Amino acid sequence: MKIIDLRSDTVTQPTPAMREAMAKAPVGDDVYGEDPSINALEELAASKVGKESGLFVPSGTMGNLIAMLSHCGRGDEIILGKRAHTFLYEGGGISTLGSVHSAQILEQPDGSLALDDIEAAIRPDDVHAPRTRLVALENTHNRCGGTFQPPAYVAAVSEFAHTRRLKVHVDGARIFNAAVAQGVDVKELTGPADSVTFCLSKGLCAPVGSVLCGSREFIAEGRRWRKHLGGGMRQAGILAAAGIVSINEMVDRLAEDHARARRLAVSLGHFPQLVLDPGSPATNMLFINLAENAGVDAQQVADALRARDVLVGVTGKRRFRLVLHYWISDADVESVVVAFGEALA
Ligand code: TLP
């Protein structure tokens, strides 16, 4: 019996085309800059998001950390969202490893940071305050429901930040979901910012890896940090080969995940015990609340679903996250609806 795993798109397995590319990948020592597959991936990634250079890293977390350590020095401050992945789920790496401080702003419902709030968070030039150096955005925004921000917003934040001599980093773990959902070239979402991290290993199905992209000078600095952090990976072209397939073959099809997420939302919305976030889903994830009078909590429902071979994320006492991805078919979506019916009965 197939397990239908909706906990995250991080659970995706590599596709057959990826396994084939991995088996054939030419490799070399990447710390010497001699892995042809990694060099090809970094070039492809950078050109795709409209930047000069790319850096292959083992994870989105390391990509964001390297970006922040490269943009900021000891005692600097980053303006970011209270619900940002970089703030909530990256171990406080900027502080523990970089002595970098954060100023947290509550996001708008679409995951954006309001320009007025950014402006208010910028520190005065005063010995009492850390130096504001960077604004960090997240697109799509995970904890805000897989919501996306449009090109005009990224452009406005970047323009404003640059006039205040701040840099802009985009945690674009799912930036291709954001681009596909809006029908725009991803460059429109990344071009105005100074740097972007995107993940190969989520909806794009590669087994491992993310790419940090930015200017040549910025990536040269990032390469130093990657080595410091132990992220210099030698013959990792075997992984990069899968990432090349991700970029070339897996981006456009993300629209299928978004369509399935919408269909699942409509079906689950018929259960009186379930309440969807307004406007959800924007992309490939849906957050669902259990109604107050449901008589069960989210963990109990998740356990009942697990007994029916359906795995969902529990993100609160009465809250679930369901993430659609390449390995979830139309038939699986129907099975999930049946399993919810039984679990809630
Ligand atoms: N997110 C994971 C968990 O850590 C929550 C998930 O299942 O969604 N930025 C964003 C917006 C992310 O959602 C994630 C992973 C990362 C960065 C970190 O990527 P990895 O897991 O490769 O370090």
Side-chain angles (χ1 to χ4, degrees):
M1 177 78 181
K2 177 186 176 186
I3 305 277
I4 302 174
D5 195 344
L6 300 169
R7 288 172 303 168
S8 181
D9 45 12
T10 60
V11 304
T12 47
Q13 300 269 322
T15 65
M18 286 177 186
R19 290 179 187 271
E20 203 183 320
M22 292 170 81
K24 292 184 183 151
V27 296
D29 190 325
D30 181 50
V31 176
Y32 294 158
E34 291 174 2
D35 188 303
S37 301
I38 293 187
N39 292 343
L41 170 67
E42 291 178 344
E43 218 171 281
L44 175 66
S47 78
K48 190 89 182 170
V49 299
K51 298 289 174 212
E52 283 175 356
S53 279
L55 183 68
F56 184 51
V57 289
S59 65
T61 300
M62 192 186 282
N64 287 331
L65 180 59
I66 291 173
M68 292 180 174
L69 298 185
S70 300
H71 284 303
C72 303
R74 185 179 169 86
D76 287 346
E77 189 168 76
I78 301 173
I79 297 174
L80 44 67
K82 271 188 200 300
R83 290 176 289 182
H85 195 277
T86 45
F87 179 61
L88 289 178
Y89 304 119
E90 299 185 11
I94 56 168
S95 310
T96 51
L97 301 167
S99 300
V100 175
H101 204 245
S102 63
Q104 307 121 37
I105 294 177
L106 186 61
E107 291 91 344
Q108 301 300 302
D110 68 352
S112 63
L113 304 177
L115 270 179
D116 287 350
D117 292 341
I118 295 175
E119 184 167 24
I122 297 174
R123 302 282 198 152
D125 183 10
D126 181 312
V127 290
H128 294 86
R131 283 197 185 97
T132 308
R133 193 70 75 187
L134 180 71
V135 178
L137 305 177
E138 184 174 317
N139 200 8
T140 62
H141 198 295
N142 186 340
R143 271 294 169 262
C144 288
T147 45
F148 55 77
Q149 297 133 48
Y153 169 75
V154 185
V157 170
S158 302
E159 198 182 315
F160 171 72
H162 293 154
T163 62
R164 304 298 295 264
R165 301 206 172 149
L166 307 178
K167 301 286 186 187
V168 176
H169 173 67
V170 178
D171 174 358
R174 299 183 180 83
I175 195 78
F176 290 106
N177 292 89
V180 166
Q182 299 177 78
V184 300
D185 186 323
V186 72
K187 289 189 195 74
E188 293 190 49
L189 300 173
T190 54
D194 298 281
S195 58
V196 59
T197 308
F198 71 84
C199 293
L200 302 162
S201 62
K202 297 189 169 61
L204 301 183
C205 284
V208 178
S210 295
V211 191
L212 170 63
C213 297
S215 70
R216 205 161 279 124
E217 196 186 1
F218 169 80
I219 292 298
E221 180 67 12
R223 207 171 279 283
R224 293 186 73 86
W225 274 114
R226 187 184 67 173
K227 191 76 182 90
H228 288 219
L229 295 170
M233 292 188 293
R234 312 296 178 184
Q235 290 76 25
I238 212 156
L239 302 172
I244 291 172
V245 177
S246 292
I247 294 174
N248 287 335
E249 295 179 17
M250 303 301 285
V251 169
D252 292 341
R253 65 146 308 283
L254 292 171
E256 295 172 28
D257 301 337
H258 301 172
R260 287 198 182 95
R262 285 194 296 272
R263 280 207 291 282
L264 183 57
V266 168
S267 298
L268 293 180
H270 291 131
F271 292 108
Q273 300 97 322
L274 301 180
V275 184
L276 268 86
D277 284 358
S280 173
T283 54
N284 68 327
M285 45 178 89
L286 54 154
F287 282 82
I288 305 170
N289 293 298
L290 270 175
E292 298 219 6
N293 59 0
V296 277
D297 67 23
Q299 192 56 57
Q300 288 169 310
V301 175
D303 291 343
L305 290 168
R306 180 179 280 269
R308 290 162 177 82
D309 296 317
V310 173
L311 307 185
V312 299
V314 173
T315 59
K317 202 165 163 37
R318 285 206 304 272
R319 194 162 167 82
F320 307 99
R321 184 182 72 156
L322 277 57
V323 187
L324 280 290
H325 54 76
Y326 178 74
W327 296 101
I328 305 295
S329 65
D330 287 337
D332 293 335
V333 168
E334 281 170 34
S335 304
V336 171
V337 177
V338 171
F340 259 95
E342 291 172 7
L344 291 168

